[in-house]
Amino acid sequence: MSGGTGTLAPDERRLGGGAPIQDTRGDKIALACIYAALGLFCLAILYPIVYVLSASVSDTGKVSAGEVWLWPVGFTLDAYKAIFDYDSIVSSFGNSVYYAVAGAVVATVLTLLAAYPLSRKGLPGKGLIMAAFVFTMMFSGGLIPTYLVVDQLGLLNTRWAMILPTALAVWNVIITRTYFMVTIPEELVEAGKVDGCSDFGFFWRIVLPLSKPIIAVNLLFYAVGQWNSFFNALIYLTNEHLFPLQVVLRQILIQSKVDPSQMPDTSKLAQLKELQQQLKYSLIVIGMIPPLLVYPFVQKHFVKGAMVGSLKG
């Protein structure tokens, strides 16, 4: 039993600051079920990640034979060496980092500038503007009209073709608008006006410092979206020097496919097929590591910003 103001044991709670009460048998069973469900949920998420990491550095024969189920067997980096033999892998990695960072910054700025006015009561035509936003979320212009617009704007084969067409997500605008409505009360706006603060000055000096959680959420959403994006590159880019990492990884995977009719040596054919199988795991690891490294730094803001923006208001 814990005493004083220390942390209470799982079977001990206080009611109204009074003496601790013991959990009933039903409470303990429910708590055990919750922990079991959370444990299974974590296992379902972590196991595929651990397996892919292990398979990517295991011997190809051991992976094909099903001997790898958790930890690496027959450690080797042959798949990673095969991937990094491609000259374009480094430049494409740099392109993806650029698209993720620049795209996230541009999109977050546009989202904040769109969401804040829509969160204020005095904006004329707010309902009509919001309806127009939602309409574009429900109905897009289609692939061909979008391509023609990008072409007419002179964005084809430029880095802007990867950033501008997806620079604003209406769903993020809705979440951000709700966050502003909950955390920035009208009384604070009126107080700012009384002190002589302009609308832009209020947004810059008051709103932005109070909006770090939703800014972190938007940056993470947009950065991950840009990092995983490959379709726009296939449509708008033909210059290989501008390709993002996802497109180059796809090319590596396609080029590694083996045609049995052109490979009479069965032993060599089997080795190439095993290497191709391991390449899949290595490509998954290369694609998922950067977002996993970034997420811990924004996690504390992510929970607060996403919950406030999506559930309240």
Side-chain angles (χ1 to χ4, degrees), residues 40-59:
L40 291 174
F41 182 70
C42 292
L43 185 63
I45 295 174
L46 292 177
Y47 178 72
I49 297 176
V50 175
Y51 177 79
V52 169
L53 286 171
S54 299
S56 69
V57 295
S58 296
D59 182 80

Side-chain angles (χ1 to χ4, degrees), residues 79-91:
Y80 289 99
K81 291 178 182 176
I83 291 174
F84 285 99
D85 282 342
Y86 285 81
D87 297 332
S88 57
I89 196 75
V90 176
S91 62

Side-chain angles (χ1 to χ4, degrees), residues 86-101:
Y86 285 81
D87 297 332
S88 57
I89 196 75
V90 176
S91 62
S92 65
F93 188 89
N95 288 335
S96 281
V97 171
Y98 177 84
Y99 297 143
V101 174

